[in-house]
PDB file of all heavy atoms in Angstrom:
ATOM      1  N   LEU F 100      -8.114   1.674  37.167  1.00  0.00           N
ATOM      2  CA  LEU F 100      -7.670   3.066  37.335  1.00  0.00           C
ATOM      3  C   LEU F 100      -6.156   3.131  37.549  1.00  0.00           C
ATOM      4  O   LEU F 100      -5.481   4.028  37.017  1.00  0.00           O
ATOM      5  CB  LEU F 100      -8.405   3.706  38.512  1.00  0.00           C
ATOM      6  CG  LEU F 100      -8.216   5.209  38.703  1.00  0.00           C
ATOM      7  CD1 LEU F 100      -8.631   5.975  37.458  1.00  0.00           C
ATOM      8  CD2 LEU F 100      -9.005   5.691  39.910  1.00  0.00           C
ATOM      9  N   TYR F 103      -4.542   2.611  34.295  1.00  0.00           N
ATOM     10  CA  TYR F 103      -4.764   3.802  33.464  1.00  0.00           C
ATOM     11  C   TYR F 103      -3.695   4.858  33.713  1.00  0.00           C
ATOM     12  O   TYR F 103      -3.225   5.517  32.781  1.00  0.00           O
ATOM     13  CB  TYR F 103      -6.153   4.362  33.766  1.00  0.00           C
ATOM     14  CG  TYR F 103      -6.520   5.608  32.992  1.00  0.00           C
ATOM     15  CD1 TYR F 103      -6.950   5.533  31.670  1.00  0.00           C
ATOM     16  CD2 TYR F 103      -6.441   6.869  33.589  1.00  0.00           C
ATOM     17  CE1 TYR F 103      -7.303   6.675  30.965  1.00  0.00           C
ATOM     18  CE2 TYR F 103      -6.791   8.010  32.892  1.00  0.00           C
ATOM     19  CZ  TYR F 103      -7.220   7.911  31.584  1.00  0.00           C
ATOM     20  OH  TYR F 103      -7.562   9.058  30.888  1.00  0.00           O
ATOM     21  N   HIS F 104      -3.306   5.018  34.961  1.00  0.00           N
ATOM     22  CA  HIS F 104      -2.306   6.034  35.289  1.00  0.00           C
ATOM     23  C   HIS F 104      -0.893   5.615  34.884  1.00  0.00           C
ATOM     24  O   HIS F 104       0.011   6.442  34.852  1.00  0.00           O
ATOM     25  CB  HIS F 104      -2.344   6.351  36.791  1.00  0.00           C
ATOM     26  CG  HIS F 104      -3.560   7.126  37.195  1.00  0.00           C
ATOM     27  ND1 HIS F 104      -3.903   8.331  36.611  1.00  0.00           N
ATOM     28  CD2 HIS F 104      -4.530   6.872  38.113  1.00  0.00           C
ATOM     29  CE1 HIS F 104      -5.020   8.785  37.162  1.00  0.00           C
ATOM     30  NE2 HIS F 104      -5.423   7.917  38.072  1.00  0.00           N
ATOM     31  N   VAL F 134     -17.110   1.514  40.521  1.00  0.00           N
ATOM     32  CA  VAL F 134     -17.288   1.727  39.079  1.00  0.00           C
ATOM     33  C   VAL F 134     -17.588   3.196  38.788  1.00  0.00           C
ATOM     34  O   VAL F 134     -17.010   3.800  37.874  1.00  0.00           O
ATOM     35  CB  VAL F 134     -18.426   0.828  38.540  1.00  0.00           C
ATOM     36  CG1 VAL F 134     -18.816   1.248  37.125  1.00  0.00           C
ATOM     37  CG2 VAL F 134     -17.998  -0.634  38.541  1.00  0.00           C
ATOM     38  N   ILE F 135     -18.479   3.798  39.571  1.00  0.00           N
ATOM     39  CA  ILE F 135     -18.851   5.203  39.355  1.00  0.00           C
ATOM     40  C   ILE F 135     -17.645   6.114  39.526  1.00  0.00           C
ATOM     41  O   ILE F 135     -17.386   7.007  38.692  1.00  0.00           O
ATOM     42  CB  ILE F 135     -19.995   5.606  40.312  1.00  0.00           C
ATOM     43  CG1 ILE F 135     -21.297   4.914  39.898  1.00  0.00           C
ATOM     44  CG2 ILE F 135     -20.189   7.127  40.319  1.00  0.00           C
ATOM     45  CD1 ILE F 135     -22.432   5.102  40.881  1.00  0.00           C
ATOM     46  N   PHE F 136     -16.884   5.898  40.590  1.00  0.00           N
ATOM     47  CA  PHE F 136     -15.720   6.757  40.830  1.00  0.00           C
ATOM     48  C   PHE F 136     -14.644   6.564  39.768  1.00  0.00           C
ATOM     49  O   PHE F 136     -14.021   7.532  39.330  1.00  0.00           O
ATOM     50  CB  PHE F 136     -15.151   6.509  42.235  1.00  0.00           C
ATOM     51  CG  PHE F 136     -15.924   7.204  43.310  1.00  0.00           C
ATOM     52  CD1 PHE F 136     -16.809   6.506  44.102  1.00  0.00           C
ATOM     53  CD2 PHE F 136     -15.792   8.570  43.519  1.00  0.00           C
ATOM     54  CE1 PHE F 136     -17.545   7.146  45.089  1.00  0.00           C
ATOM     55  CE2 PHE F 136     -16.526   9.225  44.501  1.00  0.00           C
ATOM     56  CZ  PHE F 136     -17.397   8.511  45.290  1.00  0.00           C
ATOM     57  N   VAL F 137     -14.430   5.325  39.332  1.00  0.00           N
ATOM     58  CA  VAL F 137     -13.417   5.070  38.305  1.00  0.00           C
ATOM     59  C   VAL F 137     -13.851   5.669  36.963  1.00  0.00           C
ATOM     60  O   VAL F 137     -13.056   6.310  36.274  1.00  0.00           O
ATOM     61  CB  VAL F 137     -13.153   3.553  38.173  1.00  0.00           C
ATOM     62  CG1 VAL F 137     -12.299   3.259  36.937  1.00  0.00           C
ATOM     63  CG2 VAL F 137     -12.458   3.031  39.427  1.00  0.00           C
ATOM     64  N   LEU F 138     -15.114   5.490  36.600  1.00  0.00           N
ATOM     65  CA  LEU F 138     -15.602   6.062  35.332  1.00  0.00           C
ATOM     66  C   LEU F 138     -15.521   7.584  35.342  1.00  0.00           C
ATOM     67  O   LEU F 138     -15.160   8.200  34.331  1.00  0.00           O
ATOM     68  CB  LEU F 138     -17.046   5.608  35.070  1.00  0.00           C
ATOM     69  CG  LEU F 138     -17.219   4.203  34.490  1.00  0.00           C
ATOM     70  CD1 LEU F 138     -18.697   3.831  34.421  1.00  0.00           C
ATOM     71  CD2 LEU F 138     -16.600   4.105  33.097  1.00  0.00           C
ATOM     72  N   ASN F 139     -15.856   8.198  36.476  1.00  0.00           N
ATOM     73  CA  ASN F 139     -15.751   9.659  36.566  1.00  0.00           C
ATOM     74  C   ASN F 139     -14.315  10.127  36.381  1.00  0.00           C
ATOM     75  O   ASN F 139     -14.054  11.172  35.788  1.00  0.00           O
ATOM     76  CB  ASN F 139     -16.291  10.147  37.911  1.00  0.00           C
ATOM     77  CG  ASN F 139     -17.805  10.250  37.928  1.00  0.00           C
ATOM     78  OD1 ASN F 139     -18.437  10.436  36.891  1.00  0.00           O
ATOM     79  ND2 ASN F 139     -18.409  10.107  39.097  1.00  0.00           N
ATOM     80  N   GLU F 140     -13.373   9.321  36.893  1.00  0.00           N
ATOM     81  CA  GLU F 140     -11.958   9.660  36.748  1.00  0.00           C
ATOM     82  C   GLU F 140     -11.491   9.455  35.308  1.00  0.00           C
ATOM     83  O   GLU F 140     -10.805  10.301  34.736  1.00  0.00           O
ATOM     84  CB  GLU F 140     -11.140   8.786  37.692  1.00  0.00           C
ATOM     85  CG  GLU F 140      -9.652   9.055  37.674  1.00  0.00           C
ATOM     86  CD  GLU F 140      -9.232  10.278  38.474  1.00  0.00           C
ATOM     87  OE1 GLU F 140     -10.040  10.759  39.289  1.00  0.00           O
ATOM     88  OE2 GLU F 140      -8.101  10.744  38.270  1.00  0.00           O
ATOM     89  N   LEU F 141     -11.888   8.325  34.711  1.00  0.00           N
ATOM     90  CA  LEU F 141     -11.470   8.029  33.334  1.00  0.00           C
ATOM     91  C   LEU F 141     -12.057   9.023  32.340  1.00  0.00           C
ATOM     92  O   LEU F 141     -11.444   9.326  31.312  1.00  0.00           O
ATOM     93  CB  LEU F 141     -11.884   6.605  32.944  1.00  0.00           C
ATOM     94  CG  LEU F 141     -11.286   5.441  33.756  1.00  0.00           C
ATOM     95  CD1 LEU F 141     -11.784   4.110  33.211  1.00  0.00           C
ATOM     96  CD2 LEU F 141      -9.771   5.476  33.726  1.00  0.00           C
ATOM     97  N   CYS F 142     -13.265   9.506  32.642  1.00  0.00           N
ATOM     98  CA  CYS F 142     -13.964  10.419  31.718  1.00  0.00           C
ATOM     99  C   CYS F 142     -13.932  11.863  32.228  1.00  0.00           C
ATOM    100  O   CYS F 142     -14.798  12.661  31.878  1.00  0.00           O
ATOM    101  CB  CYS F 142     -15.412   9.972  31.537  1.00  0.00           C
ATOM    102  SG  CYS F 142     -15.608   8.259  31.012  1.00  0.00           S
ATOM    103  N   SER F 143     -12.940  12.183  33.055  1.00  0.00           N
ATOM    104  CA  SER F 143     -12.895  13.511  33.683  1.00  0.00           C
ATOM    105  C   SER F 143     -12.754  14.645  32.664  1.00  0.00           C
ATOM    106  O   SER F 143     -13.228  15.755  32.893  1.00  0.00           O
ATOM    107  CB  SER F 143     -11.742  13.584  34.692  1.00  0.00           C
ATOM    108  OG  SER F 143     -10.504  13.301  34.059  1.00  0.00           O
ATOM    109  N   GLU F 144     -12.122  14.359  31.532  1.00  0.00           N
ATOM    110  CA  GLU F 144     -11.914  15.408  30.526  1.00  0.00           C
ATOM    111  C   GLU F 144     -13.231  15.890  29.922  1.00  0.00           C
ATOM    112  O   GLU F 144     -13.328  17.017  29.442  1.00  0.00           O
ATOM    113  CB  GLU F 144     -10.979  14.903  29.421  1.00  0.00           C
ATOM    114  CG  GLU F 144      -9.553  14.689  29.911  1.00  0.00           C
ATOM    115  CD  GLU F 144      -8.646  14.170  28.815  1.00  0.00           C
ATOM    116  OE1 GLU F 144      -9.129  13.989  27.668  1.00  0.00           O
ATOM    117  OE2 GLU F 144      -7.451  13.944  29.097  1.00  0.00           O
ATOM    118  N   GLY F 147     -17.050  13.751  33.380  1.00  0.00           N
ATOM    119  CA  GLY F 147     -17.493  12.583  34.141  1.00  0.00           C
ATOM    120  C   GLY F 147     -18.138  11.535  33.251  1.00  0.00           C
ATOM    121  O   GLY F 147     -18.207  11.681  32.030  1.00  0.00           O
ATOM    122  N   MET F 148     -18.609  10.459  33.881  1.00  0.00           N
ATOM    123  CA  MET F 148     -19.186   9.339  33.134  1.00  0.00           C
ATOM    124  C   MET F 148     -20.446   9.749  32.383  1.00  0.00           C
ATOM    125  O   MET F 148     -21.147  10.686  32.779  1.00  0.00           O
ATOM    126  CB  MET F 148     -19.517   8.197  34.088  1.00  0.00           C
ATOM    127  CG  MET F 148     -20.593   8.498  35.110  1.00  0.00           C
ATOM    128  SD  MET F 148     -20.966   7.114  36.234  1.00  0.00           S
ATOM    129  CE  MET F 148     -21.929   6.040  35.164  1.00  0.00           C
TER     130      MET F 148
END
Side-chain angles (χ1 to χ4, degrees):
L100 189 57
Y103 179 79
H104 288 304
V134 168
I135 290 172
F136 280 102
V137 170
L138 280 174
N139 279 334
E140 182 79 16
L141 298 181
C142 306
S143 58
E144 292 179 1
M148 65 180 284

